[in-house]
Amino acid sequence: MPEPTAEDLRAVTETLSRLTDYLRSGPDPDEALALVEPLLDELIGLPLQFADTLRALARALHDHPDTPRTTEAGLLIAQLRAAASAQEDQHALHYLLDDLRDLYDDAGAADGPGCAWCR
């Protein structure tokens, strides 16, 4: 697989920006949830991927011979690792999507005959 380029990553961020703009336009909730679902996949979603990316960056910088062996460099690399951990904590967002989907499914069932308390 070829190495990613800065242009590849700009395309990814542009796609995310387009998704954000689209979600701001008020699409159907089922469609909105379906679009976001791959981003929040519990195993390969963005929170985990980004956490792995930050850790890999920290490792690459730490292990590179040109990286200064100073307290400041060590603290900056530690901050990258802390950011990775914080990002990884967001992996459970996929459960939120399940709950939202259930909420909308329940609301759809509530549109049937009878009063809201009877359903």
Side-chain angles (χ1 to χ4, degrees):
M1 177 187 297
E3 293 180 11
T5 65
E7 188 56 37
D8 293 335
L9 298 172
R10 281 187 196 92
V12 169
T13 57
E14 176 61 28
T15 300
L16 287 173
S17 179
R18 287 182 20 237
L19 172 61
T20 301
D21 289 344
Y22 178 70
L23 292 173
R24 287 179 180 147
S25 75
D28 176 75
D30 288 334
E31 183 179 1
L33 290 168
L35 288 170
V36 173
E37 184 174 16
L39 300 177
L40 298 179
D41 182 273
E42 64 185 302
L43 301 175
I44 59 169
L46 283 180
L48 293 175
Q49 292 292 324
F50 194 51
D52 286 346
T53 300
L54 292 174
R55 280 192 194 91
L57 174 60
R59 186 177 309 111
L61 295 173
H62 179 269
D63 294 346
H64 197 277
D66 291 343
T67 298
R69 304 296 173 210
T70 63
T71 302
E72 181 182 17
L75 288 173
L76 292 170
I77 290 169
Q79 285 179 333
L80 274 176
R81 289 183 176 132
S85 293
Q87 185 63 40
E88 189 173 55
D89 288 344
Q90 301 303 311
H91 78 280
L93 285 171
H94 72 277
Y95 294 120
L96 177 64
L97 288 183
D98 292 340
D99 293 343
L100 286 166
R101 197 170 276 112
D102 290 345
L103 177 73
Y104 279 95
D105 288 346
D106 291 347
D111 291 339
C115 71
W117 296 106
C118 299
R119 287 183 235 132

